[in-house]
Structure formats: structure tokens, C-alpha cells
Amino acid sequence: FARNEVWRSELRLWSDALAKSPEKVRVLSNVGTILLESGKPAAAEPLFRRALAREPEHRRSLVNLAVILRLRGELAEAKSALERALAKLECYDWLVFTSVNAVDVVFPLIPCPSPTGRGVGVRVAAIGPKTAEALKARGVTPDFVPDEYVAESILPGLGDLNGKWVLLPRAEIARKVLPEAICEAGGIPHEIAV
């Protein structure tokens, strides 16, 4: 019966795992992510920093730390964390741009060679023709642009997402529909607030 209490919520489950394995990077990152998504960035930050002390290039921890630092207005450190996450861009299956602003903020930080689209390396998706044009102006032909210009319409074009990593540079106030749908499809979304 004691295990039933642990399984009652995702936070309880991962907090129990953290109590048993306080140095595991995945556990630290998962508890931090749950806290961040629950609106508790101050509680999440030390967990991401501990994860990064053990594995300095852990993508999920880097992305989430960048989000926290940006929320706090520490833009130089946020940019550094974002650059480190983007240095691991080849580990992602998809890079999904939801706005021209995301393209403008993220593209200068992407290390060379940058993604080209056209099914080579990390695949690139754009929501809407203006976002696609912003990518094309940088030499990137999106692998997918949905017919409708809303986040939900992009999911079918990404194909089988089971176990695939998806990087989502998006506005802080963006709806959670797309990352939630990616999770439901078995994918692993990493959001970057831009």
C-alpha cells in the first residue's frame, strides 16, 4: 500500500526516486522539469545545476536551465546554456520553429554547420509560411510546413515520434498543446523560451 502513495502523482514518483538515487542525472532532471512545469523555477534550478555538475552537456537540463535564467532576466547565462544545448543539436530528430522570432533568436546561436532541412541531419519544421521564409532566407528548406498555421497541425507531419527528441524554440507564453501532443506520441520535447 505504501507504493500506491508514491504512484499517486508524477512528482511523488520522481521525488521518491530522487530520495533513493539523489545523484542520478535523469532523476534530477525529471524532478526539475516537473517543478518547472508546475511554476516552481526556484525549486527546479538547483536540480538542473546538480544534474549539469554530473553531466555538463545534459540537453534537457541545459534547455530548462536556460528557460529559468531567461525568466529571471539573466540573459547572458541563459544564452550560454542555450548555446551549449544547441551545440548538441545533432542529437535531436526534429527542430520545430513556431515563429519568425524563434528563427531570429535561435539561428545566430546554432553552431556550424547549421541544419539545412531537406531530410539531412536534424529535420526542420516550420509553422506557417512566414516562418518557412525566415528559414529559407538562412539557407534552410523546412522538411515540413503544415497547411494550417497552428501548433496542433504540425504533429502529423513529424511522423513516428516514439523515442524521438524534438527541440521547440517558442515564446514563453506559447500554449502547451504541441509539447503535450509530442509527449502523448511518445516523443521527448525540449522547449526553449525565446
Side-chain angles (χ1 to χ4, degrees):
F1 291 111
R3 295 300 296 164
N4 288 345
E5 186 63 27
V6 170
W7 285 85
R8 188 184 322 173
S9 75
E10 191 175 23
L11 180 58
R12 285 179 191 240
L13 175 66
W14 284 105
S15 294
D16 181 66
L18 183 60
K20 293 173 180 164
S21 302
E23 304 306 315
K24 286 198 173 180
V25 171
R26 179 176 178 212
V27 174
L28 289 163
S29 183
N30 284 350
V31 174
T33 300
I34 293 165
L35 290 170
L36 179 59
E37 290 173 352
S38 300
K40 299 174 183 168
E45 182 179 353
L47 297 171
F48 295 129
R49 290 193 184 276
R50 280 175 50 200
L52 290 168
R54 283 150 191 76
E55 190 178 321
E57 302 305 318
H58 188 256
R59 292 176 289 177
R60 188 173 200 181
S61 296
L62 284 168
V63 168
N64 284 328
L65 181 60
V67 168
I68 291 169
L69 294 168
R70 192 166 194 286
L71 287 171
R72 234 184 15 233
E74 296 178 26
L75 301 182
E77 193 176 354
K79 181 180 175 189
S80 172
L82 177 58
E83 287 172 337
R84 287 172 48 208
L86 290 171
K88 297 286 188 181
L89 189 60
E90 75 280 355
C91 297
Y92 288 93
D93 297 286
W94 279 97
L95 175 57
V96 178
F97 288 98
T98 59
S99 70
V100 172
N101 183 54
V103 174
D104 291 342
V105 169
V106 170
F107 233 83
L109 303 177
I110 293 176
C112 291
S114 61
T116 61
R118 297 178 221 114
V120 178
V122 63
R123 298 183 73 196
V124 179
I127 296 179
K130 291 188 191 265
T131 306
E133 287 303 316
L135 286 166
K136 287 177 185 170
R138 289 167 175 79
V140 177
T141 302
D143 294 289
F144 179 68
V145 181
D147 293 331
E148 293 181 55
Y149 313 139
V150 292
E152 303 87 303
S153 64
I154 207 157
L155 194 64
L158 301 182
D160 178 17
L161 289 176
N162 193 32
K164 305 251 171 91
W165 294 74
V166 181
L167 188 58
L168 299 164
R170 306 163 7 108
E172 291 175 33
I173 59 170
R175 296 178 307 137
K176 293 287 187 184
V177 174
L178 183 56
E180 288 172 357
I182 290 169
C183 278
E184 288 173 15
I188 304 157
H190 287 171
E191 295 179 82
I192 299 176
V194 295

